[in-house]
Amino acid sequence: MRIAITGSSGLVGTCLVNAFLKDGHDLLLLVRKPGAGDPRCRHSLWDPERGVIDRDALEGMDAVIHLAGKSINGRFTRKHKEQVLSSRVKGTTLLSDTLASLKRPPRVFLSASGIGLTHQYDLVSDESNSLGDGFLPTVIQPWEASTQPAIQAGIRTVLLRFGIVLSKDGGALKQMLPVYRMGLGGKIGHGKQVMSWISIEEIPHILRFLMERETVSGVVNMTAPRPVTNEEFVRTLGKVLERPVLFPVPAFAIHLLFGEMGEELLLKGNPVLPKKLLDEGYTFRHPELEPALRRILGRESG
């Protein structure tokens, strides 16, 4: 297949590039700087801030995977919030408008999104109600709406609502590992907030499934089928690392250290199920947390 990818240098993008190259796919990476991107792939320059994109390079693609956007990590100042929102809406709008104008548009457009976060612990969400509240949903709603030009042009569009991506190479797990390996970790706040997670190794399998499954469109929750509370997550991580988890981080410390960002990312959760994937017959390779962590961290028994 001919696949174009934005955000290819990020955690998920790097994983997809490596997996799809092994599959023998022809990859086109949309990059912001000459010379950027994996040298094993073709490259095309784009700059959403200036509205620059190589329309001709996208002609005849089989699939386009859009992952680019400014990281949400950092204090949620007004400037940071504006940058997070702008980067996602401008990039998605430019790409969606361009795909809609092509003579030979892709068969499928897969655009990243998020599951949102909430204080509700017992309301299990599926694709119909997984946004939650707070700052992040105010980003997710216009971000997803920016794909409308592609949808209206008849391009099958899938909105990938990612949960917490677990990888030793980046994201939340990488940041947690040094503390927990020293035996200084513990639950965050009360520990009841639900973590809807996905193993980095699961993602290429799901994307292959979605590219081939022509009946799937709209929102797809990119989460494992069994979310866990923060308390269960840290207890399992301690078990895998063979370290105690005796030092909880109180909520007031999160507020002091991280402000609104800590409130949203660390103290809220969202019990999300991948209903659409399960209904369509996808079989998870890493559905349970402990085996997934053992594989990710190279601590499988036997």
Side-chain angles (χ1 to χ4, degrees):
M1 291 178 67
R2 291 165 295 179
I3 304 172
I5 304 176
T6 76
S8 60
S9 62
L11 181 64
V12 173
T14 300
C15 175
L16 292 180
V17 167
N18 289 329
F20 292 162
L21 285 175
K22 288 181 181 178
D23 291 344
H25 295 305
D26 176 14
L27 302 186
L28 173 71
L29 309 184
L30 276 65
V31 298
R32 296 171 185 265
K33 298 179 181 179
D38 194 301
R40 298 171 294 175
C41 307
R42 295 184 295 121
H43 302 89
S44 177
L45 293 178
W46 82 315
D47 186 342
E49 287 297 320
R50 296 191 295 125
V52 174
I53 191 169
D54 186 349
R55 180 177 175 278
D56 293 339
L58 292 169
E59 285 282 1
M61 287 289 130
D62 296 301
V64 174
I65 301 172
H66 177 41
L67 305 171
K70 182 176 176 62
S71 172
I72 61 173
N73 292 330
R75 279 195 170 267
F76 283 176
T77 62
R78 175 181 291 183
K79 181 178 179 181
H80 182 65
K81 287 181 176 181
E82 290 173 352
Q83 290 174 338
V84 168
L85 177 60
S86 175
S87 70
R88 282 160 172 73
V89 172
K90 284 185 178 180
T92 308
T93 299
L94 175 61
L95 189 55
S96 186
D97 282 338
T98 302
L99 298 181
S101 72
L102 297 178
K103 294 180 180 178
R104 292 174 294 143
R107 292 188 287 107
V108 60
F109 176 34
L110 303 114
S111 186
S113 182
I115 60 171
L117 298 162
T118 179
H119 278 304
Q120 295 173 301
Y121 312 121
D122 55 356
L123 175 63
V124 178
S125 303
D126 57 25
E127 282 80 3
S128 65
N129 63 341
S130 61
L131 269 185
D133 51 23
F135 166 62
L136 294 178
T138 68
V139 173
I140 292 169
Q141 290 169 334
W143 185 11
E144 292 182 345
S146 300
T147 62
Q148 278 299 312
I151 295 171
Q152 292 171 1
I155 300 169
R156 180 167 69 91
T157 300
V158 181
L159 303 173
L160 307 169
R161 285 189 181 170
F162 283 97
I164 299 168
V165 177
L166 299 184
S167 169
K168 62 181 176 61
D169 298 320
L173 181 59
K174 182 182 179 181
Q175 295 177 13
M176 296 171 70
L177 283 175
V179 173
Y180 284 80
R181 279 176 169 149
M182 290 188 292
L184 300 176
K187 67 181 181 180
I188 298 175
H190 48 59
K192 295 179 182 179
Q193 64 273 36
V194 177
M195 301 174 66
S196 294
W197 58 276
I198 186 76
S199 167
I200 188 72
E201 295 187 11
E202 191 83 59
I203 294 173
H205 298 291
I206 295 177
L207 268 288
R208 292 185 189 105
F209 179 86
L210 292 173
M211 287 190 290
E212 296 170 359
R213 199 77 163 190
E214 296 184 357
T215 55
V216 181
S217 63
V219 173
V220 171
N221 286 338
M222 298 285 289
T223 61
R226 199 177 84 80
V228 297
T229 64
N230 173 260
E231 187 172 25
E232 181 178 352
F233 183 91
V234 300
R235 186 172 63 246
T236 304
L237 180 58
K239 179 181 178 182
V240 171
L241 295 174
E242 299 180 354
R243 294 291 186 271
V245 284
L246 304 176
F247 299 93
V249 182
F252 77 85
I254 296 296
H255 286 294
L256 287 175
L257 290 171
F258 303 108
E260 185 183 354
M261 187 273 285
E263 169 76 18
E264 292 239 358
L265 299 184
L266 300 177
L267 298 177
K268 289 185 178 183
N270 198 354
V272 168
L273 296 179
K275 184 176 185 298
K276 190 172 289 188
L277 284 172
L278 295 172
D279 287 349
E280 288 290 335
Y282 179 79
T283 301
F284 279 83
R285 290 156 177 80
H286 309 287
E288 299 288 337
L289 180 63
E290 183 177 336
L293 284 174
R294 289 191 179 280
R295 181 167 176 82
I296 291 167
L297 300 176
R299 301 182 73 93
E300 295 172 288
S301 59

